[in-house]
Amino acid sequence: MMRAWLLPMLLVLVGSLLAAGRIADGSPGAAVAPLLFFVLLAGVNSPLLFPRSISAQEAQLRSSVDGRPVVFWRPGCTYCMRLRIRLGRSARQMHWVDIWRDPAAAAVVRAANGGNETVPTVIVAGRPHTNPAPAWVREQLSRST
């Protein structure tokens, strides 16, 4: 869990240090912009942007019942953020698995990607797809519902 929040915490720390430096220089108004920027960047890189993660086993079980795709992701991954943002509200209909929280999920991703933990890896009908186009994922989701 701590690993998922490391980057966001570091971003907030850097933003705070930059803001403190600007305040120390006598320009408190100029401190607001970098602090807000780094807090926003931390929010985007945090697990908060993604639907609640479940275990790989639970996701595979649910997917076998409802036919919805399983998305393996990790915090800080720009490709995962791109997929999540482009899917919009429909992203909540899929099963999201954080590979940093579940070692079994990381093993599934390594098996699908020749030993690499490349994310996002989307499992549709039992077949893995590495970094698929968001439009393709949305199409697969509409087929499953």
Side-chain angles (χ1 to χ4, degrees):
M1 178 65 176
M2 182 66 177
R3 185 175 177 186
W5 286 99
L6 184 62
L7 180 61
M9 287 188 304
L10 286 173
L11 289 169
V12 169
L13 178 66
V14 168
S16 300
L17 291 174
L18 284 173
R22 299 253 169 111
I23 291 171
D25 289 342
S27 52
V32 174
L35 182 60
L36 286 178
F37 173 75
F38 278 93
V39 167
L40 178 65
L41 195 57
V44 168
N45 282 286
S46 77
L48 297 175
L49 181 67
F50 293 87
R52 186 180 69 84
S53 288
I54 57 177
S55 70
Q57 183 179 9
E58 185 179 349
Q60 290 169 342
L61 179 64
R62 288 182 184 184
S63 180
S64 67
V65 171
D66 61 20
R68 294 180 181 168
V70 177
V71 181
F72 292 94
W73 69 284
R74 67 171 172 75
C77 169
T78 55
Y79 299 106
C80 297
M81 283 187 277
R82 175 182 143 254
L83 178 64
R84 168 61 184 98
I85 290 168
R86 293 234 178 124
L87 288 175
R89 289 185 180 179
S90 61
R92 296 215 178 266
Q93 297 173 7
M94 298 189 302
H95 307 293
W96 291 79
V97 181
D98 182 351
I99 67 168
W100 282 359
R101 293 178 113 186
D102 185 1
V108 170
V109 171
R110 283 192 302 273
N113 294 301
N116 297 317
E117 288 186 358
T118 308
V119 288
T121 297
V122 180
I123 307 289
V124 178
R127 296 190 58 211
H129 304 274
T130 304
N131 197 16
W136 181 84
V137 175
R138 191 177 299 110
E139 180 182 313
Q140 301 308 308
L141 183 59
S142 67
R143 288 182 184 174
S144 66
T145 54

